[in-house]
Amino acid sequence: MEPPLHGITVVALEQAVAAPFATRQLADLGARVIKIERPGHGDFAREYDSSVKGLSAYFVWVNRGKESVVLDLKEPTDRALLDRLLARADVFIQNLAPGAADRLGLDSERLRARHPRLITCDVSGYDPDGPYRDKKAYDLLVQCEAGLVSITGTADSPARSGISVADIAGAVYAYSGILTALYERERTGRGSALAVSLLDALAEWMGHPYFTQEYGGTPITRSAARHPSISPYGHYRCGDGAQVFLSVQSDREWGALCEQVLRRPALVRDPRFADNPLRHAHDGELTALVEECFAAHTADGVVALLDRAGIANARLRTVAELADHPQLAARDRWRDFGSPAGPLRGLLPPVQVAGREAVMGPVPALGEHTAAIRAEFAGTPEP
């Protein structure tokens, strides 16, 4: 059975993380993604690190399943080849530096006028309009501008998110927008011009702290690995020194925790803990009580008690432990895919399509497909 996006061609003038991660999702669903790279070094994410058998972890993560074509867009022959690619493409996505697409004549207005069925997607840091339009927008900087760093970390020190969450947010909206535009084109025959900014995407994800601050008048405080407004919700030390995370979401669950796990039913009637706002106000005292009870058990024993009581919980796993996570292993979620450095192992995409395996093609070497693309499009007339 063919993958869902079989027959869809995406031309990507992309670099770093946001646009490449969006197009990798499309490639996993069967789209042909032709990645245009600059001569010499290509996508600068190729040189971020060399931790994956000499390859960049960032590049490997977001670029499998694509064809790499090296073009000098200031050279007439190469630019003519790009124009021929665009004439046959379904989607064009770019996340060049501010103003670069316009200078190259690759802005959505001109492209859509020439190719009405084409779907264009411009991914930017702050959008081409507004006072921030010319600012560089790297992930941590967008996290700062969106307010995320101000609520992440400990009371003493703010911290960045441990992953490129601004890039990922922008990629997710670009990906879903492109899928929506493809569906719309099936009904109308017309393409669309999409625009996604990393600030807009991450600001959307800041909805809970925004509404809390704007209408509740209560700023979100940095709470490290504990929840800023729910208690008990966080990490608790057990008798073997390991920590277990748990979350109580209702008074019913609070009663189950006290009676079945802590074996202290009187706490249910303790006026300090009568409801969540009071429990949160007395979180320090509550933490001491929980850890006092957990001291009699190993972390495995605490997890077993919590599971039997229906209390949500988790173990604090390292990145190394993620590679052997029992839930992922039991569901056969890992697959091998190719790369210039040999076979690598990665996770299947999150979206599962019944009866169809994700494509998960190889990571391309720089310019690996340039000759083949030149040959394929050599006889294509100028658009």
Side-chain angles (χ1 to χ4, degrees):
M1 186 179 295
E2 292 178 341
L5 295 185
H6 177 77
I8 296 296
T9 298
V10 179
V11 174
L13 196 55
E14 59 181 20
Q15 54 195 1
V17 176
F21 192 42
T23 56
R24 198 215 78 191
Q25 315 302 314
L26 300 172
D28 286 339
L29 289 176
R32 182 186 190 185
V33 178
I34 301 173
K35 181 182 180 76
I36 308 301
E37 300 195 66
R38 59 196 171 107
H41 300 280
D43 183 341
F44 56 74
R46 287 183 179 274
E47 300 178 342
Y48 276 172
D49 60 75
S50 58
S51 58
V52 185
K53 299 182 179 181
L55 304 176
S56 161
Y58 270 107
F59 191 85
V60 165
W61 168 41
V62 299
N63 285 288
R64 69 171 179 240
K66 303 178 185 180
E67 300 173 46
S68 171
V69 177
V70 170
L71 296 180
D72 180 354
L73 297 185
K74 296 180 181 179
E75 198 278 319
T77 302
D78 282 4
R79 176 52 194 267
L81 176 56
L82 176 61
D83 289 339
R84 290 196 294 272
L85 286 170
L86 291 172
R88 285 175 45 182
D90 298 283
V91 178
F92 172 66
I93 184 170
Q94 66 86 19
N95 68 330
L96 300 180
D102 288 354
R103 291 191 294 272
L104 289 168
L106 295 172
D107 55 283
S108 61
E109 184 176 356
R110 276 181 277 189
L111 288 177
R112 294 271 296 111
R114 295 170 66 187
H115 311 294
R117 285 180 54 82
L118 183 66
I119 294 163
T120 62
C121 182
D122 299 322
V123 180
S124 65
Y126 297 110
D127 194 78
D129 293 325
Y132 277 41
R133 60 184 175 271
D134 295 324
K135 287 178 71 73
K136 292 183 178 180
Y138 301 132
D139 190 88
L140 172 57
L141 308 182
V142 178
Q143 289 187 36
C144 291
E145 291 288 351
L148 178 60
V149 172
S150 75
I151 61 171
T152 305
T154 67
D156 298 325
S157 178
R160 67 177 287 272
S161 169
I163 58 174
S164 300
V165 66
D167 284 318
I168 295 168
V172 166
Y173 287 113
Y175 167 56
S176 61
I178 289 169
L179 294 179
T180 302
L182 285 168
Y183 173 73
E184 182 181 33
R185 194 183 67 175
E186 286 298 303
R187 301 172 65 192
T188 67
R190 297 189 302 273
S192 302
L194 310 176
V196 177
S197 88
L198 304 191
L199 178 63
D200 290 350
L202 192 56
E204 167 65 21
W205 288 12
M206 290 289 291
H208 168 254
Y210 161 74
F211 284 112
T212 300
Q213 167 72 57
E214 186 72 8
Y215 296 99
T218 305
I220 298 292
T221 57
R222 293 190 294 272
S223 55
R226 294 191 181 276
H227 197 281
S229 59
I230 300 175
S231 182
Y233 194 160
H235 54 93
Y236 300 89
R237 186 172 299 278
C238 304
D240 57 0
Q243 293 181 330
V244 169
F245 281 67
L246 67 89
S247 171
V248 167
Q249 296 279 319
S250 66
D251 291 342
R252 182 193 61 76
E253 290 183 347
W254 167 243
L257 179 71
C258 294
E259 295 166 2
Q260 300 177 47
V261 179
L262 303 181
R263 306 297 171 88
R264 297 185 63 173
L267 289 176
V268 177
R269 299 180 297 278
D270 191 311
R272 294 172 298 172
F273 312 130
D275 57 26
N276 179 67
L278 287 168
R279 289 192 290 272
H280 188 259
H282 296 277
D283 184 71
E285 300 164 73
L286 181 52
T287 296
L289 289 169
V290 171
E291 291 188 336
E292 179 184 340
C293 296
F294 283 6
H297 305 279
T298 64
D300 286 342
V302 168
V303 167
L305 288 169
L306 292 168
D307 282 343
R308 283 198 293 270
I311 304 299
N313 66 85
R315 298 296 301 268
L316 179 60
R317 297 184 186 272
T318 65
V319 176
E321 289 172 321
L322 172 66
D324 298 312
H325 197 290
Q327 179 70 3
L328 297 173
R331 295 169 54 238
D332 192 26
R333 295 294 295 165
W334 297 95
R335 294 289 185 278
D336 288 339
F337 61 93
S339 82
L344 303 172
R345 189 176 76 130
L347 278 169
L348 285 165
V351 176
Q352 304 172 68
V353 182
R356 305 182 193 182
E357 182 84 354
V359 176
M360 292 186 70
V363 177
L366 177 61
E368 179 180 347
H369 304 90
T370 305
I373 291 291
R374 289 190 189 280
E376 180 181 350
F377 286 83
T380 304
E382 292 291 333

